[in-house]
């Protein structure tokens, strides 16, 4: 699969394979084909000639050909997609000075005399630049990005205009080196959805305003196509939906409107919002005026809709005067009736007061006795409180000591580092002690390591984790032959069932554990994997490979379709592969802006995004991300993630 062909000024021929990571080199057309392959040829996408050097772009930056192989030239920290030779006239000497345009995943840069300078971060920051082509105007260049084609002015450092899908382009993502300007000044554009052409001479310059009209009118939730001239007093929640039809760019349409009325005051708005809402309008005469502006910046003439909201009947004079007279009459009658009622109530209250006084005297004696009893109960409660606090401290001290024991039996991280120096362990127990555990062992230059999630968490889970670590150490230590990863899990399952006396009866507890176990042979560059519910993820070349675990736990089970033995996966690993084993605690944590679970999909995406980081930086990033996620939530489960890189 040949991605690109480059011929130098000395007639050297380079055939680039891109993702295959191989460059085929011929010193001339009659010479023998030479294969060049190393870390610097990986993802090598394009070459150019600068100062008698062959310079290329790959996933780390710029590389240079030394007549034998490719070596690093300039580390950029971004994937570099394209290089294009250009020149600029020196104002002092008057000579043309050559430089290279460098297109990266984070903008456009210039390379000259071993110096790399990024161009105007405000217009290219976060933009994937995949192609650069000279324009007919020497002050301009065409820049292919993931957001269309930019017409860039080198002198003013500005983008004159952009050609994208809104102008008819088949797709906004331009292919690597996907721009070519022919002799007729026609720009050929290669996208991932096909090829297109653009003629700058035919770029239209007509200016116009969008077609403006009222789309719908909503009154108290009911839709009208035409505004009634008169409205009832209750019909006072009114919305106008304005539509502006643009044949150039629908997204560029802006709206301006205001409501004239309210004692000649104005309620106005200007911007992208095309729905004007006016709730609870008081009675009166109104005129709603509106207009639109398109991509060319010209406002249309104002249009208007006139209407009147009538007063309610209770605001008319013929209703108000009789109502006031009636209210005064009612108040006078009520005051007379209340005076008589209060007199009778006073007489009744005097009799009640005398009876209550006698009852209060009797109650006082009874309350004194109750007071003494309450005091005795208070003293008893304080005594019980102190006893509970003492018992709580004893329990916490015991659990803290159990944590010391659990931490002591966890394996040292150096066991994993023997085979894979680049690694991290993110271990966040929910409680003082944890039901998740990590384990590692080394025998005959073979490293075994695992991430496990026991039934439950806290103290019950900690008992199971200590039992699992003990059994795993015993299995490796007592084995006379080299065990497969699946055989280790088979033996662990037998020991757990035997230790917990599990028979499969329906009433007994189904205690056990989920686990992902890896066996690393560094000499053969192989990894064996076996899993009980917990999978293995391998991130390779920006993609994630998933090795599924068997759907049965370490312990007794009754799942339909599950086998008796665990599956052994043998994987040929490559340099740079990142392996991840983990429990379900990370993905199941609640939080975030919508109070949802983190979910395994978001976890996968994050693993791919952090591959440029070191293992320790990945651990810190995972830790900070989950802490921000569960900012307003308590941790719901133990969290364990193990990452290693070959």
């Amino acid at each position: 699969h040949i991605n690109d062909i480059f011929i130098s000024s000395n007639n050297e021929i380079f055939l680039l394979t891109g993702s295959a990571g191989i460059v085929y080199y011929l010193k001339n057309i009659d010479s023998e084909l030479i294969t060049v392959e190393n870390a610097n040829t990986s993802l090598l996408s394009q070459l150019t000639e600068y100062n008698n050097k062959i310079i290329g772009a790959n996933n780390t930056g710029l590389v240079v050909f030394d007549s034998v192989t490719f070596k690093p030239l300039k580390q950029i920290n971004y994937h570099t997609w394209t290089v294009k030779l250009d020149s600029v006239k020196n104002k002092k000497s008057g000579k043309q000075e050559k430089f290279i345009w460098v297109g990266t995943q984070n903008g456009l840069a210039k390379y000259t005399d071993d110096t790399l300078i990024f161009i105007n971060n405000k217009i290219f920051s976060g933009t994937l630049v995949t192609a650069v082509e000279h324009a007919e105007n020497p002050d301009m260049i065409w820049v292919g990005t993931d957001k269309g084609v930019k017409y860039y002015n080198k002198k003013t450092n500005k983008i004159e205009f952009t050609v994208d899908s809104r102008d008819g382009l088949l797709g906004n993502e331009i292919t690597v080196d996907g721009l070519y300007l022919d002799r007729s000044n026609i720009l050929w554009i290669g996208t991932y959805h096909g090829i297109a052409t653009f003629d700058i001479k035919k770029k239209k310059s007509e200016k116009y305003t969008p077609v403006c009209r009222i789309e719908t009118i909503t009154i108290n939730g009911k839709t009208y196509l035409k505004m009634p001239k008169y409205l009832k007093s209750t019909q006072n929640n009114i919305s106008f939906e304005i539509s502006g039809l643009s044949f150039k760019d629908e997204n560029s349409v802006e709206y301006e409107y205001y409501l004239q009325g309210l004692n000649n005051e104005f309620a106005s708005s200007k911007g992208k919002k095309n729905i004007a809402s006016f709730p609870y309008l008081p009675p009166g005469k109104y005129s709603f005026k509106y207009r639109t502006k398109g991509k060319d910046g010209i406002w249309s003439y104002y249009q208007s809709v006139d209407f009147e909201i009538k007063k309610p009947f209770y605001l008319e004079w013929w209703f108000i005067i009789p109502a006031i007279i009636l209210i005064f009459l009612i108040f006078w009658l009520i005051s007379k009736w209340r005076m008589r009622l209060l007199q009778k109530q006073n007489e009744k209250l005097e009799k009640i007061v005398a009876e209550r006084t006698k009852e209060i005297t009797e109650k006082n004696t009874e309350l004194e006795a109750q007071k003494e009893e309450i005091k005795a109960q208070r003293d008893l409660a304080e005594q019980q409180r102190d006893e509970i606090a003492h018992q709580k401290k004893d329990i916490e001290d015991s659990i803290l000591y159990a944590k010391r024991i659990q931490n002591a039996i966890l394996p040292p991280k150096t066991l994993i580092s023997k085979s894979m120096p680049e690694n991290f362990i993110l271990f966040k127990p929910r409680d003082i002690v944890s039901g998740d555990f990590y384990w590692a062992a080394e025998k005959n230059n073979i490293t075994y390591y695992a991430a496990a999630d026991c039934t439950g968490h806290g103290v019950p889970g900690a008992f199971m984790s200590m039992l699992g670590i003990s059994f795993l150490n015993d299995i490796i230590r007592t084995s006379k032959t080299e065990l497969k990863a699946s055989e280790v899990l088979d033996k662990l399952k037998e020991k757990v069932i035997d230790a917990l006396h599990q028979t499969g009866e329906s009433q007994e507890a189904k205690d056990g554990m989920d686990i992902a176990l890896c066996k690393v042979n560094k000499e053969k560059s192989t990894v064996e994997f076996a899993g009980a519910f917990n999978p293995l993820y391998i991130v390779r070349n920006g993609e994630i490979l998933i090795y599924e675990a068997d759907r049965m736990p370490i312990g007794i089970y009754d799942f339909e379709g599950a086998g008796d033995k665990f599956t052994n996966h043998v994987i040929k690993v490559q340099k740079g592969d990142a392996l991840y084993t983990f429990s379900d605690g990370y993905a199941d944590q609640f939080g975030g802006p919508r109070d949802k679970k983190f979910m395994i999909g978001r976890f996968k995406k994050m693993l791919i995004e952090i591959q440029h980081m070191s293992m320790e930086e990945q651990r810190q990033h995972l830790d900070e991300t989950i802490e921000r996620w569960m900012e307003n939530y308590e941790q719901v489960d133990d969290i364990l993630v193990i990452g290693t890189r070959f």
Side-chain angles (χ1 to χ4, degrees):
H1 186 129
I2 303 299
N3 274 3
D4 198 10
I5 300 173
F6 176 75
I7 303 175
S8 72
S9 59
N10 296 326
N11 292 323
E12 298 170 290
I13 302 172
F14 296 82
L15 309 179
L16 311 183
T17 64
S19 60
I22 301 173
V23 175
Y24 298 103
Y25 170 69
L26 296 96
K27 192 170 184 64
N28 56 63
I29 192 66
D30 298 317
S31 65
E32 183 181 354
L33 184 70
I34 299 174
T35 300
V36 181
E37 183 178 8
N38 61 22
N40 298 308
T41 62
S42 177
L43 296 175
L44 189 60
S45 59
Q46 198 178 357
L47 299 176
T48 190
E49 195 166 0
Y50 172 69
N51 289 345
N52 297 320
K53 295 179 182 178
I54 306 300
I55 295 175
N58 69 358
N59 60 331
T60 62
L62 299 179
V63 296
V64 62
F65 185 67
D66 63 355
S67 299
V68 178
T69 187
F70 283 91
K71 293 183 178 180
L73 176 64
K74 192 69 176 179
Q75 185 77 19
I76 300 180
N77 296 325
Y78 297 117
H79 193 129
T80 306
W81 292 100
T82 185
V83 287
K84 189 73 173 182
L85 189 65
D86 202 349
S87 64
V88 63
K89 188 175 183 180
N90 189 304
K91 295 181 179 179
K92 293 182 178 180
S93 64
K95 296 181 179 180
Q96 291 289 330
E97 296 181 350
K98 294 183 178 181
F99 65 91
I100 299 176
W101 291 109
V102 181
T104 76
Q105 72 182 48
N106 192 29
L108 183 66
K110 291 173 65 175
Y111 175 80
T112 178
D113 298 330
D114 199 35
T115 301
L116 188 80
I117 301 174
F118 275 88
I119 303 299
N120 197 341
N121 286 335
K122 291 183 180 179
I123 62 175
F124 284 112
S125 177
T127 301
L128 176 64
V129 177
T130 56
V132 176
E133 177 64 305
H134 298 297
E136 184 181 39
N137 185 343
D139 294 334
M140 308 296 295
I141 59 171
W142 296 99
V143 182
T145 73
D146 60 343
K147 300 170 185 174
V149 181
K150 313 285 185 182
Y151 194 52
Y152 174 67
N153 192 317
K154 295 185 286 186
K155 283 191 173 182
T156 63
N157 197 24
K158 291 181 180 179
I159 293 174
E160 299 291 341
F161 63 86
T162 298
V163 182
D164 55 25
S165 59
R166 294 176 298 182
D167 302 295
L169 196 64
L170 297 174
N172 285 337
E173 296 180 350
I174 309 304
T175 59
V176 177
D177 197 22
L179 297 179
Y180 173 71
L181 191 71
D182 65 17
R183 295 179 179 179
S184 301
N185 199 26
I186 302 297
L187 182 68
W188 292 78
I189 306 170
T191 76
Y192 289 102
H193 298 282
I195 193 166
T197 60
F198 178 78
D199 188 351
I200 193 171
K201 296 176 183 177
K202 296 181 180 179
K203 180 175 172 61
K204 294 185 178 180
S205 60
E206 297 87 355
K207 296 185 178 181
Y208 68 98
T209 61
V211 178
C212 180
R213 65 186 181 126
I214 296 290
E215 191 72 27
T216 57
I217 301 169
T218 304
I219 303 174
N220 289 1
K222 185 177 179 181
T223 301
Y224 294 81
L225 297 178
K226 185 178 179 181
M227 186 70 182
K229 188 173 182 180
Y230 298 102
L231 299 175
K232 299 178 182 178
S233 60
T234 55
Q235 294 177 301
N236 59 352
N237 292 315
I238 303 173
S239 295
F240 298 92
E241 182 182 358
I242 313 167
S243 103
L245 180 60
S246 172
F247 294 99
K248 281 192 175 180
D249 184 1
E250 290 289 342
N251 296 324
S252 67
V253 177
E254 293 186 30
Y255 304 88
E256 182 180 24
Y257 53 82
Y258 63 88
L259 184 65
Q260 185 176 4
L262 303 175
N263 296 325
N264 291 326
E265 295 181 2
F266 296 85
S268 63
S269 177
K270 179 187 290 187
K272 296 286 186 180
K273 185 179 178 183
N274 70 325
I275 297 180
S277 298
F278 304 101
Y280 307 111
L281 290 175
K285 294 182 178 181
Y286 296 93
S287 179
F288 176 68
K289 300 186 181 295
Y290 60 95
R291 63 176 180 171
T292 56
K293 179 178 73 172
K295 188 174 183 179
D296 296 320
I298 302 175
W299 286 103
S300 64
Y301 292 108
Y302 275 113
Q303 301 184 53
S304 62
V305 176
D306 299 326
F307 61 95
E308 180 180 354
I309 300 178
K310 293 290 188 179
K311 291 182 179 179
F313 71 91
Y314 50 80
L315 293 180
E316 300 290 346
W317 66 268
W318 51 264
F319 178 84
I320 295 174
I321 294 175
I324 292 173
I325 295 172
L326 180 61
I327 289 170
F328 274 111
L329 180 60
I330 292 172
F331 270 108
W332 182 79
L333 293 174
I334 290 174
S335 64
K336 285 290 185 180
W337 173 75
R338 285 187 60 81
M339 288 293 293
R340 291 183 182 179
L341 186 61
L342 287 172
Q343 187 176 0
K344 291 182 179 180
Q345 287 179 343
N346 285 335
E347 294 174 356
K348 186 177 181 180
L349 286 172
E350 288 176 359
K351 183 178 180 181
I352 293 173
V353 168
E355 293 175 354
R356 294 293 186 221
T357 303
K358 182 180 179 182
E359 291 177 4
I360 290 171
T361 303
E362 295 174 352
K363 290 290 184 182
N364 282 339
T365 305
E366 184 179 347
L367 287 173
E368 286 296 328
Q370 292 176 350
K371 181 179 178 182
E372 292 298 324
E373 184 179 354
I374 291 171
K375 184 178 179 182
Q377 291 176 350
R378 182 197 64 192
D379 295 340
L380 177 61
E382 290 177 352
Q383 181 183 354
Q384 292 173 341
R385 179 200 64 195
D386 296 338
E387 184 177 351
I388 291 171
H390 180 71
Q391 292 174 348
K392 180 183 177 184
K393 185 177 184 303
D394 289 344
I395 293 171
E396 288 181 348
D397 290 344
S398 297
I399 295 175
L400 287 171
Y401 193 77
K403 179 183 179 181
R404 292 174 58 189
I405 295 173
Q406 187 181 35
N407 289 340
I409 68 172
L410 288 173
K413 297 180 180 179
T414 54
L415 282 178
I416 300 178
S417 299
K418 283 185 178 181
S419 292
M420 287 164 287
E422 288 192 71
N423 66 81
F424 72 82
I425 299 175
L426 176 62
F427 185 46
K428 297 172 72 66
R430 195 200 80 164
D431 303 312
I432 297 175
V433 290
S434 172
D436 287 7
F437 71 87
Y438 58 90
W439 167 84
E442 193 270 339
K443 188 174 183 180
N444 299 329
N445 293 326
I446 301 297
T447 302
Y448 300 83
Y449 72 93
D453 182 0
C454 298
T455 303
H457 40 71
V459 174
F463 276 115
M464 282 298 299
S465 70
M466 293 165 63
L467 194 65
I469 293 173
S470 176
F471 284 159
L472 286 167
N473 288 332
D474 183 59
I475 291 168
I476 298 302
R477 185 176 60 253
T478 59
S479 174
K480 296 181 180 180
T481 60
E482 183 180 322
L483 294 175
K484 297 179 180 178
S486 60
E487 292 173 341
V488 175
L489 294 194
D490 291 336
K491 290 180 179 292
L492 177 61
K493 175 183 172 184
E494 292 173 3
K495 285 181 174 289
V496 169
I497 293 175
D498 183 60
L500 300 180
H501 305 292
Q502 294 178 332
T503 63
E505 297 292 335
S506 58
Q507 68 275 10
E508 71 180 8
K510 299 296 188 294
D511 295 315
M513 64 187 75
D514 300 337
I515 189 169
L517 184 141
C518 293
K519 172 188 173 184
V520 182
N521 189 326
K522 189 176 181 181
E523 293 180 358
K524 297 181 179 179
S525 294
T526 61
V527 170
E528 291 184 20
F529 164 71
F533 282 112
N534 288 355
L536 167 67
Y537 287 175
I538 298 180
V539 179
R540 176 183 296 166
N541 296 330
E543 295 183 355
I544 192 162
L545 308 177
I546 301 175
Y547 293 88
E548 298 291 352
D550 292 296
R551 294 194 56 77
M552 57 179 177
I554 301 298
I556 203 72
Y557 66 94
D558 56 1
F559 301 119
E560 249 186 75
D564 295 328
K565 300 293 183 179
F566 288 96
T567 306
N568 194 64
H569 301 271
V570 180
I571 307 162
K572 186 71 175 178
V573 291
Q574 301 177 8
K575 184 177 180 181
D577 282 359
L579 284 65
Y580 300 92
T581 54
F582 47 88
S583 66
D584 58 2
Y586 200 104
D588 287 349
Q589 178 58 44
F590 283 91
R594 298 184 180 179
D595 301 332
K596 302 288 186 181
K597 285 185 178 181
F598 192 85
M599 301 302 290
I600 196 68
R602 188 179 284 107
F603 180 63
K604 291 178 185 176
K605 183 179 179 183
M606 181 169 57
L607 291 181
I608 295 174
E609 291 173 347
I610 63 176
Q611 287 308 298
H612 65 281
M613 300 181 182
S614 68
M615 280 292 143
E616 176 55 29
E617 289 173 338
Q618 289 188 23
R619 186 201 65 79
Q620 184 176 355
H621 182 83
L622 288 169
D623 192 13
E624 292 173 353
T625 299
I626 201 63
E627 285 294 334
R628 288 194 301 270
W629 182 264
M630 61 182 184
E631 180 180 3
N632 299 320
Y633 274 82
E634 293 184 0
Q635 188 172 330
V636 298
D637 198 359
D638 302 315
I639 293 174
L640 173 61
V641 182
I642 301 176
T644 59
R645 177 178 283 159
F646 270 82

